[in-house]
Amino acid sequence: MVKFADRLAEIDLSGIRKLFEAAGSDAINLGLGQPDFDTPSHIKEAAKRAIDAGFTGYTHGKGIFELREAIKRRFSEKNGFEVGIEDIIVTSGASEALHIALEALIDEGDGVIIPDPGFVSYFTLTRIAGGIPKHLKHDENFRLNPDTLLERIEPQDRVLILNSPSNPTGKVQSRKDIKAYTEIAKDHGLVIISDEVYEELIYEGEHVSPASFYEDVVTINAVSKTYAMTGWRLGYLGAPANYVEEMLKVHQYVQACASSISQFAALEALTADQRCVHTMRDEFRARRDLLIKGLAKLGFKFPIPEGAFYVFIEVDDEEGFVRKLLENGVVTTPGSSFGAYGKGYVRLSYAASRSDIKRALAIIERVV
Ligand SMILES: Cc1ncc(COP(=O)(O)O)c(C=O)c1O
């Protein structure tokens, strides 16, 4: 019998994927967190040009210079903070950026404070890095209350993860609260990892980057959600120089560099006309309105999603609800997949066509 690493013994494969695989091929998928749009054609063309021009080898470990230049400009103009071109690493999706940040920051037994409910990878990547995930409960409106954060901090805690707009709640944290979290982090010597992958998908409120208030922040983003490019595996991070040096040690040995072709595609995505982003955002907003109106009519309670593409609804019997919908051809995700405080909720993704959303609403009405 092969003995596998103890470190991985308690880590489950993603429950969301299992559910999706259990559904029939014609099921309506409100389970997965990825845009159903195709990558815009000008981005695909840039990738084809890169292949034809022979940009098919390894790149600089941190990523091609022009892309890092575009990312630097974006951080400065959109997010309100400055980093050097050398202080950016282009990664294989936001997932790799999260992984190398946690590997660089966490020693065995260090605490990582994670919003709960929150994106499932935060909990598992913390454990893979040897850290202890500490669940930070939202208040009833899914706001991360600064007072709750203060009460939760213990001496062994090293990192606070923030994610606004949030997967799975769709909540956007306010400027005032983001500033308050950075002040608490500063007072307690916590590094913030800020996952901003849904930055462009905001329908109400504004996006505020913690790095505009505080130095010790690793800001993570990706082209995955913004440009319908999940399969291209292209993300990036910006951080102070000494952080980048450490994170690069992990990136260099596990990844070498992000895909050269995807880097040229991302360069086009970030620097070309942004109308495609606005078109997709408008469509997501219309789908959100359709779904929340239908759910409200059926009597469901949920926080109004202000960003991303998820609605997090309250249900009496989470497991039963998800199973019943699955049997009737609608895939959803149980709230417990997103942490202990997600119990009693179900996440519906509206990264699905309006006709699928209408059909799903009819099935939900029948099931309840
Ligand atoms: C909050 C959040 N961060 C990161 C990711 C991963 O992004 P990527 O596909 O760029 O690795 C996801 C994907 O669902 C997400 O929801």
Side-chain angles (χ1 to χ4, degrees):
M1 242 315 243
V2 180
K3 187 198 168 298
F4 293 105
D6 291 336
R7 211 172 58 255
L8 301 184
E10 283 174 28
I11 292 172
D12 261 343
L13 284 175
S14 165
I16 301 175
R17 288 216 161 266
K18 275 191 219 156
L19 265 180
F20 182 50
E21 282 154 16
S25 57
D26 57 346
I28 302 168
N29 188 2
L30 305 187
L32 272 186
Q34 70 170 338
D36 57 322
F37 303 115
D38 194 5
T39 303
S41 55
H42 65 285
I43 299 174
K44 293 204 265 189
E45 289 306 321
K48 290 180 200 166
R49 283 197 302 276
I51 296 173
D52 289 339
F55 292 123
T56 53
Y58 292 125
T59 69
H60 188 296
K62 290 182 184 173
I64 58 171
F65 187 83
E66 304 90 307
L67 177 56
R68 282 184 286 138
E69 215 171 27
I71 294 166
K72 172 185 161 55
R73 214 165 32 243
R74 194 180 168 92
F75 280 148
S76 171
E77 289 168 7
K78 252 187 178 312
N79 304 108
F81 67 94
E82 303 296 329
V83 288
I85 287 182
E86 291 310 317
D87 306 334
I88 289 166
I89 305 178
V90 178
T91 56
S92 181
S95 302
E96 195 223 341
L98 287 165
H99 177 57
I100 64 175
L102 285 162
E103 287 290 348
L105 287 163
I106 295 302
D107 268 326
E108 201 69 33
D110 286 345
V112 176
I113 303 176
I114 301 171
D116 178 351
F119 178 46
V120 61
S121 297
Y122 305 145
F123 303 100
T124 43
L125 290 174
T126 295
R127 284 207 255 144
I128 288 171
I132 313 279
K134 293 189 49 183
H135 299 232
L136 179 65
K137 192 175 189 289
H138 291 80
D139 69 14
E140 61 280 6
N141 299 315
F142 289 104
R143 169 178 173 238
L144 279 181
N145 192 321
D147 293 333
T148 318
L149 171 61
L150 258 179
E151 283 164 21
R152 197 79 182 88
I153 298 173
E154 291 174 300
Q156 72 272 24
D157 296 339
R158 297 264 301 110
V159 170
L160 164 66
I161 295 184
L162 295 176
N163 171 221
S164 175
S166 152
N167 174 9
T169 68
K171 205 70 193 159
V172 174
Q173 303 296 320
S174 70
R175 173 175 292 274
K176 184 165 159 266
D177 283 348
I178 295 270
K179 187 157 191 286
Y181 311 142
T182 59
E183 281 161 7
I184 294 169
K186 191 171 184 179
D187 288 347
H188 291 80
L190 296 178
V191 174
I192 292 178
I193 295 179
S194 178
D195 178 346
E196 307 186 7
V197 295
Y198 295 106
E199 163 193 33
E200 289 289 348
L201 299 177
I202 292 187
Y203 320 107
E204 273 138 49
E206 58 170 336
H207 179 71
V208 181
S209 293
S212 63
F213 300 114
Y214 179 43
E215 249 184 39
D216 288 295
V217 180
V218 179
T219 303
I220 291 176
N221 212 323
V223 293
S224 310
K225 316 284 179 176
T226 307
Y227 300 96
M229 292 177 71
T230 49
W232 297 75
R233 309 310 304 131
L234 204 290
Y236 54 88
L237 62 80
N242 53 336
Y243 286 53
V244 168
E245 209 169 296
E246 295 305 302
M247 291 187 283
L248 196 60
K249 291 179 190 170
V250 188
H251 174 70
Q252 209 160 69
Y253 293 107
V254 300
Q255 188 65 33
C257 65
S259 146
S260 59
I261 298 152
S262 298
Q263 291 188 56
F264 282 95
L267 176 62
E268 175 72 12
L270 295 181
T271 55
D273 194 318
Q274 298 296 294
R275 254 175 302 182
C276 61
V277 177
H278 305 155
T279 308
M280 288 190 273
R281 180 169 53 216
D282 288 347
E283 179 57 27
F284 280 130
R285 186 202 306 272
R287 294 167 177 191
R288 175 196 76 148
D289 293 346
L290 178 68
L291 184 57
I292 62 178
K293 204 165 143 206
L295 291 168
K297 222 164 111 191
L298 294 176
F300 286 101
K301 287 211 298 208
F302 49 85
I304 301 292
E306 299 154 330
F309 36 64
Y310 309 107
V311 191
F312 208 52
I313 61 172
E314 258 182 75
V315 291
D316 290 335
D317 170 14
E318 176 192 335
E319 231 175 80
F321 184 83
V322 170
R323 191 170 18 84
K324 265 231 169 78
L325 281 183
L326 195 59
E327 286 162 8
N328 286 275
V330 179
V331 186
T332 58
T333 312
S336 301
S337 317
F338 303 98
Y341 299 115
K343 195 167 167 47
Y345 291 86
V346 170
R347 187 192 77 175
L348 309 183
S349 160
Y350 49 90
S353 69
R354 293 192 213 187
S355 70
D356 273 359
I357 291 172
K358 281 185 196 152
R359 279 170 55 217
L361 278 168
I363 294 172
I364 295 171
E365 181 168 18
R366 219 172 53 230
V367 164
V368 298

